């Protein structure tokens, strides 16, 4: 719930939701108790089509009612475990932010050691490291191809990275600065997005393109 709303809205939403599920459950149970006795004729509801096609008040199929009851039970379990009742965060206390933090922590555990081995290496040494270049190529494909193209030839009006013409210098340090801090054109700063190790890997990959 937004910060500017009163807590009464949260309670109201939760109460209406719970009462609705209970009411539907009771209604479904009442319908499930209806059985047509052997030989009993179903009553007409009064609707007739094409002169002789009558709508009959037959009980609903058992499989349909059972499936409907299962959906109500599942809905109740879901609302208990996850957010959905106003500001109630659910028993599992799930949120998009918590999931994001958990995924970042998992990625750090998985990829942190891989990047750590490149952190203190010289750029020239990284240029000869196949593993670093492979990672740099993947990062380039993910973050850089929109402007520079999948072949690094550059989109319209944007730099071609495959030739020997460099606007801000083609040495490793200049490329690193361009990636980390961005340039005054349309190049944004990638330091916070790629991280230091990612910048090193992309820089060395870019150098290999020309």
């Amino acid at each position: 719930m937004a910060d500017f709303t009163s807590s009464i809205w949260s309670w109201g939403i939760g109460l209406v939701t719970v009462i609705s599920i209970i009411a539907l459950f009771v209604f479904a149970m009442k319908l499930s108790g209806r059985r047509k006795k052997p030989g009993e004729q179903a009553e007409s509801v009064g609707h007739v089509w094409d002169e002789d096609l009558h709508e009959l008040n037959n009980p609903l199929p058992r499989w349909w009612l059972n499936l409907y009851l299962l959906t109500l039970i599942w809905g109740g379990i879901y609302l208990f475990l996850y957010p959905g009742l106003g500001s109630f965060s659910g028993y599992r206390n799930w949120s998009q932010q918590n999931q994001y933090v958990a995924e970042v922590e998992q990625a750090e555990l998985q990829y942190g050691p891989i990047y750590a081995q490149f952190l203190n290496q010289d750029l020239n040494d990284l240029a000869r490291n196949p593993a670093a270049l492979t990672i740099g190529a993947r990062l380039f494909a993910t973050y850089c191809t929109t402007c520079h193209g999948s072949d690094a030839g550059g989109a319209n009006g944007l730099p071609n990275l495959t030739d020997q013409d460099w606007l801000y210098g083609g040495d490793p340090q200049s490329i690193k600065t361009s990636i980390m801090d961005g340039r005054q054109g349309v190049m944004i700063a990638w330091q916070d997005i790629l991280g230091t190790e990612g910048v090193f890997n992309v820089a060395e990959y870019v150098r290999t393109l020309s």
Side-chain angles (χ1 to χ4, degrees):
M1 299 293 288
D3 294 336
F4 63 84
T5 58
S6 170
S7 61
I8 192 173
W9 287 104
S10 174
W11 283 100
I13 292 172
L15 189 62
V16 169
T17 303
V18 171
I19 292 177
S20 299
I21 291 178
I22 294 175
L24 290 171
F25 188 85
V26 172
F27 179 68
M29 290 297 294
K30 184 178 179 180
L31 289 178
S32 66
R34 290 185 56 203
R35 299 286 184 90
K36 189 168 65 173
K37 297 178 182 179
E40 180 184 1
Q41 296 295 325
E43 298 178 356
S44 173
V45 298
H47 300 156
V48 182
W49 294 272
D50 295 335
E51 298 182 356
D52 60 350
L53 184 59
H54 296 264
E55 180 181 358
L56 303 179
N57 189 20
N58 285 308
L60 292 170
R62 298 292 299 177
W63 68 266
W64 190 96
L65 282 171
N66 292 335
L67 185 62
Y68 184 68
L69 288 171
L70 285 175
T71 61
L72 293 176
I73 294 172
W74 167 249
I77 294 174
Y78 180 89
L79 290 175
F80 172 73
L81 295 176
Y82 297 98
L85 297 175
S87 60
F88 176 59
S89 59
Y91 179 78
R92 294 182 56 119
N93 196 32
W94 179 91
S95 69
Q96 290 181 333
Q97 182 176 358
N98 292 341
Q99 180 176 342
Y100 171 76
V101 171
E103 290 176 354
V104 170
E105 292 176 350
Q106 178 63 32
E108 182 62 28
L109 290 175
Q110 182 175 356
Y111 301 110
I114 299 176
Y115 288 128
Q117 62 179 316
F118 303 134
L119 183 59
N120 297 320
Q121 292 188 30
D122 182 75
L123 285 175
N124 292 318
D125 294 334
L126 284 175
R128 295 185 291 271
N129 189 320
L133 293 178
T134 299
I135 295 174
R138 292 171 179 170
L139 292 173
F140 183 92
T142 301
Y143 296 103
C144 308
T145 53
T146 301
C147 295
H148 295 291
S150 58
D151 61 350
N156 291 334
L158 296 170
N160 179 358
L161 303 180
T162 61
D163 55 23
Q164 296 297 327
D165 298 325
W166 297 90
L167 297 176
Y168 305 102
D171 60 283
Q173 188 60 43
S174 297
I175 297 175
K176 173 186 171 184
T177 301
S178 296
I179 298 173
M180 292 183 68
D181 302 329
R183 295 297 182 179
Q184 290 184 352
V186 294
M187 177 70 173
I188 66 172
W190 290 96
Q191 166 68 22
D192 294 336
I193 301 174
L194 298 179
T196 303
E197 302 88 347
V199 168
F200 288 159
N201 294 332
V202 173
E204 289 310 319
Y205 173 73
V206 169
R207 289 190 66 204
T208 64
L209 296 174
S210 59

